[in-house]
Amino acid sequence: MRTNSFAVLIFFAIVAVGGILAYTMAATSDVVGAGIGIVVFIVAVIVSSSIKVANQWDRALVLRLGRFHILRGPGLFFIVPIIDTISHWIDIRIIPTSFKAEKTLTKDTVPVDVDAVLFWQVIDPKKAALDVADYQSAISWASQTALRDVIGKTMLSDMLEGRDKISNELQ
């Protein structure tokens, strides 16, 4: 669960104002003061749970009653508590991922171990969250498969000459 300091601040502000109001109303009737205190607390919980803040690099996928509603972020936004949920927080920055293509045979049947680094970025957060169960693992597995495929089509001497050709094929 993500902490939202702005929502906490709003919660305490509403509770403080409501507490002062309940205290002044309690002078006339204890029941009215207690009732106002309870109502203010419930309102503070609802309002603070509806306030969300997305960082500059985050996008929030909002589902309304289980169906895609909207993509939010960056900045301040509101959801309807209980009805809306944030199913995914998607990071849209460039993310480096290292991986290894284990014991792959080249075109001339020479076994090689290759370590690689993949730099990737989510372009469409909605598709990443809704169309793929675990998009980060899918990216890693797809890149390993592509690397093995390119290695299997390349002669060892070509691999040793330059990485530019392999890099271009992978892209």
Side-chain angles (χ1 to χ4, degrees):
M1 180 145 183
R2 297 169 61 106
T3 58
N4 186 347
S5 57
F6 185 69
V8 172
L9 176 70
I10 296 297
F11 173 81
F12 284 120
I14 292 172
V15 167
V17 170
I20 292 169
L21 180 64
Y23 180 75
T24 57
M25 295 303 281
T28 58
S29 171
D30 287 338
V31 175
V32 172
I36 288 175
I38 291 170
V39 169
V40 165
F41 181 78
I42 291 171
V43 168
V45 167
I46 291 171
V47 168
S48 66
S49 66
S50 71
I51 297 172
K52 303 294 178 193
V53 177
N55 292 325
Q56 180 67 34
W57 55 86
D58 283 335
R59 299 298 178 267
L61 189 87
V62 180
L63 301 179
R64 179 162 286 167
L65 297 175
R67 296 191 62 163
F68 173 75
H69 176 61
I70 197 162
L71 194 64
R72 292 287 187 187
L76 179 69
F77 64 95
F78 300 91
I79 64 169
V80 179
I82 300 171
I83 295 174
D84 289 346
T85 57
I86 297 176
S87 65
H88 291 84
W89 289 91
I90 307 291
D91 189 336
I92 61 167
R93 295 177 289 185
I94 296 173
I95 300 170
T97 304
S98 64
F99 62 94
K100 184 175 186 168
E102 302 150 353
K103 290 287 183 196
T104 305
L105 293 176
T106 61
K107 188 175 182 179
D108 50 353
T109 64
V110 177
V112 294
D113 282 333
V114 177
D115 293 326
V117 176
L118 171 69
F119 295 93
W120 58 276
Q121 180 179 24
V122 174
I123 302 299
D124 189 348
K126 178 183 174 188
K127 283 187 178 183
L130 297 179
D131 293 350
V132 183
D134 183 3
Y135 70 92
Q136 292 176 332
S137 293
I139 288 168
S140 178
W141 288 110
S143 60
Q144 286 180 9
T145 303
L147 182 60
R148 283 192 200 110
D149 185 47
V150 169
I151 291 171
K153 294 177 183 177
T154 307
M155 301 288 277
L156 180 63
S157 60
D158 294 338
M159 285 178 59
L160 295 175
E161 284 178 7
R163 297 177 298 197
D164 294 339
K165 181 180 175 186
I166 294 173
S167 178
N168 289 337
E169 274 189 63
L170 285 171
Q171 286 180 356

